Amino acid sequence: MIVLGIESSCDETAAAVVRNGCEVLASVVASQVAVHHPYGGVVPELASRKHIEAIVPVVDQAIAESGIPAKKIDGVAVTQGPGLIGSLLVGFSFAKGFAFGHGIPWVGVDHLEGHINSVFLEADPPAFPFVALLVSGGHTSIYHVTSHRDFHPMGQTRDDAAGEAYDKVAKMLGLGYPGGVVIDRLAAQGDPTKVVFTRPYLDKAEFDFSFSGIKSAVMRHLQLHPDPSPGDQADIAAGFQAAVVDVLTFKIIHAAKAKGCAHLAVVGGVAANRGLREAVTRDAAADGIRVHIPSIALCGDNAAMVAAVGYHRLAAGERAGLDDDVYSRVKFRPRG
């Protein structure tokens, strides 16, 4: 089955063509980083307008690169939520029109479900069941995954997502947007023992997160030590990243042990963080747990992961209707 995937939940317009839910024939992503950089974050109205400009060229490019004619596409999968309403509407409306015009079935996909399925686009996917840490700019959660379509929430952030904390700390340090990449790069140059932040574990026996406190701790440090030198900035970034990575790593490995899983996955935009990838892989290996992390290109928002989910939903007989609409809040429901 050849599925066209479309993703437009935030500030990236993406399209992909995937065969049988695992073979990526083409994946195209149009980024809006340059548009939102001056504002230090995503401006929803600007994001929506840029999606309108990009959606047709991006889809056309993905189809052309795949070598699959549009008339040979068997179905369409599109992000239905969560995300920015205006951004979601662009991709969702286009998918409706494309599917209707070509007389093929289509289905709406949960963006978070897409991230979890991104590991199945790699050569060595995890075996079921496994636990997944989904960590991004808007979400930080742990799920017990028992099939391609069954996800059981174990814990989530009580306030800010880890990726949001990265962006806000980068802004405090005057490093610009997006903050994840620049903090990760800067942390590698600093000493994490110079500026030590308390690890926000909450209850170590549970799986919830909280990152608002560490943002405040960085702010207090900068109030007491204003105008940091480049070396001081590197040490602050290293201390901040060490605290966040320690908590994320501990919680996901603890979740794998609690569920008796021999496999774990780390997915989402923050899964591209070098410090996190190294720490989880190292610590999990010590407990005999196999780690699965998508390639960098599949960590951020992309349409290949949406197509992967769409394949399993379409194969199961699910169909969306022309009266279906987008939603902005997550609708994950435990099943099975």
Side-chain angles (χ1 to χ4, degrees), residues 252-334:
I252 188 57
I253 293 176
H254 176 42
K257 292 178 179 178
K259 289 296 185 180
C261 293
H263 298 257
L264 69 80
V266 182
V267 300
V270 181
N273 182 281
R274 180 176 55 183
L276 177 60
R277 296 169 81 96
E278 292 175 353
V280 172
T281 301
R282 179 192 64 239
D283 292 358
D287 289 305
I289 301 170
R290 293 190 61 188
V291 176
H292 303 265
I293 307 176
S295 57
I296 300 299
L298 293 174
C299 288
D301 292 348
N302 66 88
M305 67 184 193
V306 174
V309 176
Y311 163 76
H312 294 287
R313 294 197 171 280
L314 289 168
E318 292 189 27
R319 300 291 186 268
L322 293 179
D323 58 345
D324 284 2
D325 205 349
V326 301
Y327 57 86
S328 62
R329 301 182 65 83
V330 62
K331 287 188 176 180
F332 259 162
R333 292 183 294 271

Side-chain angles (χ1 to χ4, degrees), residues 88-323:
L88 288 167
L89 278 169
V90 176
F92 201 72
S93 300
F94 181 91
K96 279 187 184 182
F98 185 97
F100 180 78
H102 287 81
I104 56 178
W106 68 290
V107 66
V109 168
D110 192 297
H111 180 78
L112 307 187
E113 191 173 345
H115 275 303
I116 293 174
N117 271 275
S118 65
V119 290
F120 294 97
L121 296 170
E122 301 291 356
D124 183 27
F128 294 113
F130 64 93
V131 293
L133 170 65
L134 196 165
V135 56
S136 67
H139 307 276
T140 303
S141 305
I142 293 177
Y143 296 94
H144 183 222
V145 185
T146 56
S147 79
H148 287 287
R149 302 171 61 230
D150 295 309
F151 310 86
H152 307 272
M154 295 179 65
Q156 63 184 357
T157 181
R158 296 182 182 178
D159 39 58
D160 301 327
E164 180 186 350
Y166 269 90
D167 286 340
K168 294 296 175 59
V169 169
K171 190 171 184 178
M172 293 177 203
L173 292 171
L175 302 175
Y177 170 87
V181 174
V182 66
I183 290 286
D184 190 25
R185 186 183 304 119
L186 191 59
Q189 304 169 21
D191 182 350
T193 66
K194 289 287 186 66
V195 183
V196 178
F197 296 104
T198 300
R199 274 53 174 163
Y201 287 109
L202 298 179
D203 185 344
K204 278 194 169 186
E206 300 298 330
F207 306 103
D208 283 348
F209 301 92
S210 173
F211 296 105
S212 63
I214 195 166
K215 287 193 313 181
S216 299
V218 173
M219 180 180 294
R220 287 195 297 271
H221 178 84
L222 290 172
Q223 289 171 343
L224 294 173
H225 305 87
D227 302 318
S229 67
D232 293 334
Q233 286 184 323
D235 291 338
I236 294 169
F240 164 77
Q241 174 150 299
V244 173
V245 165
D246 281 354
V247 172
L248 293 173
T249 299
F250 174 84
K251 294 272 185 175
I252 188 57
I253 293 176
H254 176 42
K257 292 178 179 178
K259 289 296 185 180
C261 293
H263 298 257
L264 69 80
V266 182
V267 300
V270 181
N273 182 281
R274 180 176 55 183
L276 177 60
R277 296 169 81 96
E278 292 175 353
V280 172
T281 301
R282 179 192 64 239
D283 292 358
D287 289 305
I289 301 170
R290 293 190 61 188
V291 176
H292 303 265
I293 307 176
S295 57
I296 300 299
L298 293 174
C299 288
D301 292 348
N302 66 88
M305 67 184 193
V306 174
V309 176
Y311 163 76
H312 294 287
R313 294 197 171 280
L314 289 168
E318 292 189 27
R319 300 291 186 268
L322 293 179
D323 58 345

